[in-house]
Each structure stands twice: as C-alpha cells, then as structure tokens.
Amino acid sequence: MQAFEIQSMTCGSCAGRITRAIKDLDPQARLEVDVKQRTVRIDTTEDRPSLVAALTEAGYPPSPSAN
C-alpha cells in the first residue's frame, strides 16, 4: 500500500475526484481516503510515478515529502 499526503484535498468532493482518477488508472485499486488528515493510501499494482502523475493530472499533486 502506498501513502500520499495531498494538501489540496479539503472535502468529500476532492476525495471523490481523487478516487476516480486512481480508478481510471487501475479499476481494481483499493483506496483509503482521510480528508481530515489529507492522506490517501492506495493498494494497487501501479507504480508510484504513475500514481503521482494521475493525482497531479486530477489537480491533487501529492506533497513533495510523500513522493
């Protein structure tokens, strides 16, 4: 499972967009989204650079420390 800190995630709608971006990349991915802590944990076969690219393209780039 890969963890990301996403400071621009502030609400449930953000979480939904993040979930859709990852599911578009890997429909089998499992996500644990914590809006309050602004973290996302992703269980997927995709590599980290692909996940970072998908999150960034969706408008939710992970914090540099989480990359």
Side-chain angles (χ1 to χ4, degrees):
M1 186 152 308
Q2 300 185 54
F4 298 90
E5 182 179 336
I6 303 180
Q7 287 300 314
S8 57
M9 178 175 61
T10 59
C11 65
S13 292
C14 295
R17 286 189 287 274
I18 288 167
T19 299
R20 279 192 301 279
I22 298 302
K23 290 287 192 174
D24 285 348
L25 182 65
D26 176 6
Q28 302 303 313
R30 291 182 306 159
L31 289 86
E32 296 174 7
V33 181
D34 186 331
V35 175
K36 187 174 182 180
Q37 296 295 317
R38 296 184 179 181
T39 60
V40 178
R41 292 172 36 96
I42 305 168
D43 185 10
T44 180
T45 58
E46 294 293 329
D47 63 15
R48 192 168 188 86
S50 296
L51 296 173
V52 169
L55 292 167
T56 300
E57 186 175 315
Y60 298 95
S63 295
S65 62
N67 289 335

